[in-house]
Amino acid sequence: MKKILIYFLVLSMLLPITTIDVKAESEELYYSSSEAVEETNVKSAYEMLKIFNGLGFVKCSTKYIKAKTPGSKYKSYYYRVTEKKYNTMKKLKKQLRKYFTSSYTSKLLKKKMFIQKKGKLYFAAGERGSDISYEKTNYTIVDRTAKKRTIKAVSYYWKNYDQYPKKYTTKTEYYVQKKVGGKWVFNEITLPY
């Protein structure tokens, strides 16, 4: 009977530790200040922006073309987009304009991550790693008028991510959203990771 009690005592002590570790590992990115995140739609804007920064995923077929990479003498492989909401340039622009101004949309498209040939849209599926020292970002709406608002984004990065207790450095950015056609869109925004 003593062995059984000791077993359950040890198990009850380990269970909370395991639960905390699993939860922490399952969250890819942590966003705080949930009201500002929800109101500004910053998470959805980041998802679109990730595509243009080598972190996002777009469904493509194995059919590809080779085209010159912007700013280089070399050619890259561009794969035909099969994802229905992005499979034409018109649809892609429509998706981008849900979150970004027309001028910022044009700036993103100049990166040539997407090209159109014979009515078909192709994507240069390049990838990069994210900043492993990124921990979280706090968002606050610091200025608001009927047509414009400013979001303060304070991002935290581990200064000593291989040690405990953690020490952080911070980076503060300000994002401007404009009201266009009844919806708030970002004039410019960058990924914190």
Side-chain angles (χ1 to χ4, degrees):
M1 186 68 157
K2 265 186 175 178
K3 287 182 181 179
I4 292 173
L5 286 173
I6 291 171
Y7 172 76
F8 282 111
L9 180 63
V10 170
L11 183 64
S12 68
M13 292 171 70
L14 291 175
L15 190 59
I17 294 169
T18 305
T19 306
I20 291 168
D21 287 343
V22 170
K23 186 178 187 319
E25 289 176 2
S26 68
E27 294 180 18
E28 182 185 335
L29 296 171
Y30 174 77
Y31 296 92
S32 56
S33 45
S34 59
E35 288 178 6
V37 169
E38 187 175 327
E39 188 175 335
T40 62
N41 218 3
V42 69
K43 278 190 195 180
S44 298
Y46 280 164
E47 288 305 310
M48 287 300 299
L49 198 57
K50 282 166 56 172
I51 295 169
F52 292 88
N53 285 275
L55 292 170
F57 177 76
V58 176
K59 290 181 192 171
C60 295
S61 74
T62 56
K63 296 179 181 174
Y64 66 88
I65 59 171
K66 284 180 88 174
K68 191 170 185 268
T69 306
S72 172
K73 60 182 178 181
Y74 302 105
K75 290 187 175 186
S76 293
Y77 290 94
Y78 285 83
Y79 294 87
R80 189 163 151 205
V81 176
T82 57
E83 194 162 337
K84 291 199 186 266
K85 63 182 176 180
Y86 306 130
N87 65 1
T88 66
M89 187 60 78
K90 184 178 179 179
K91 288 180 184 179
L92 176 63
K93 286 179 182 178
K94 184 178 178 182
Q95 282 295 117
L96 288 168
R97 288 192 181 128
K98 284 182 181 180
Y99 310 106
F100 309 116
T101 59
S102 294
S103 62
Y104 194 59
T105 295
S106 296
K107 183 178 176 179
L108 289 173
L109 292 174
K110 283 181 184 173
K111 290 185 171 191
K112 297 293 184 195
M113 294 297 292
F114 292 89
I115 59 171
Q116 186 167 299
K117 295 283 184 188
K118 298 181 182 176
K120 306 290 183 195
L121 193 65
Y122 293 84
F123 175 63
E127 295 179 3
R128 73 161 172 93
S130 61
D131 185 344
I132 63 167
S133 68
Y134 172 75
E135 175 75 12
K136 66 179 180 176
T137 302
N138 290 326
Y139 300 91
T140 315
I141 299 171
V142 293
D143 186 38
R144 182 192 320 239
T145 66
K147 297 195 180 229
K148 184 176 123 180
R149 64 186 177 194
T150 305
I151 298 106
K152 179 181 178 181
V154 181
S155 298
Y156 293 81
Y157 302 87
W158 294 351
K159 189 175 180 181
N160 63 336
Y161 57 86
D162 58 343
Q163 299 169 14
Y164 187 82
K166 294 177 184 175
K167 293 180 183 170
Y168 296 99
T169 58
T170 60
K171 178 176 151 188
T172 302
E173 295 195 71
Y174 293 89
Y175 305 136
V176 175
Q177 280 189 312
K178 294 181 177 181
K179 198 161 199 176
V180 178
K183 62 185 177 211
W184 290 99
V185 290
F186 287 95
N187 192 42
E188 189 151 347
I189 185 171
T190 57
L191 293 173
Y193 38 88

